[in-house]
């Protein structure tokens, strides 16, 4: 299982990001935090991170947990 959350908007970083997305793989507790410059990039970032986690762990994820926030992109996967 993978858990995800989107945080922001925050004060703009030096790279221009105002959001970040965390993705946590449940069994290994491996976590990533990815800066995001604008809304609408969440699905692309999540797909990339899940693919990376699947490659690292050798496990295909079937469930994604989130806090039910309205900005969630889980239904689009």
């Amino acid at each position: 299982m993978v858990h995800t959350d989107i945080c922001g908007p925050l004060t703009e970083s030096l790279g221009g990001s105002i959001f970040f997305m965390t993705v946590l793989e449940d069994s290994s507790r491996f976590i990533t935090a990815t800066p995001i410059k604008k809304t609408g990039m969440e699905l692309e970032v999540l797909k990339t991170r899940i693919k990376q986690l699947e490659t690292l762990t050798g496990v295909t994820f079937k469930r994604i947990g989130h806090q039910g926030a309205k900005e969630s992109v889980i239904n689009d996967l």
Side-chain angles (χ1 to χ4, degrees):
M1 183 168 188
V2 173
H3 302 275
T4 184
D5 195 12
I6 300 169
C7 303
L10 306 168
T11 303
E12 187 173 324
S13 71
L14 294 175
S17 298
I18 58 172
F19 299 95
F20 70 94
M21 175 185 280
T22 58
V23 179
L24 169 74
E25 194 280 313
D26 206 27
S27 64
S28 68
R29 307 302 286 175
F30 185 83
I31 190 168
T32 64
T34 306
I36 301 175
K37 291 186 178 184
K38 59 184 179 182
T39 58
M41 296 177 62
E42 298 91 350
L43 182 59
E44 178 184 334
V45 169
L46 184 58
K47 285 181 178 180
T48 301
R49 291 296 173 238
I50 288 175
K51 186 180 278 188
Q52 288 175 336
L53 287 170
E54 287 178 339
T55 301
L56 286 170
T57 63
V59 175
T60 301
F61 300 107
K62 296 179 175 80
R63 292 179 27 184
I64 299 173
H66 60 92
Q67 297 177 343
K70 63 182 178 183
E71 76 271 10
S72 176
V73 295
I74 303 305
N75 294 331
D76 295 333
L77 287 176

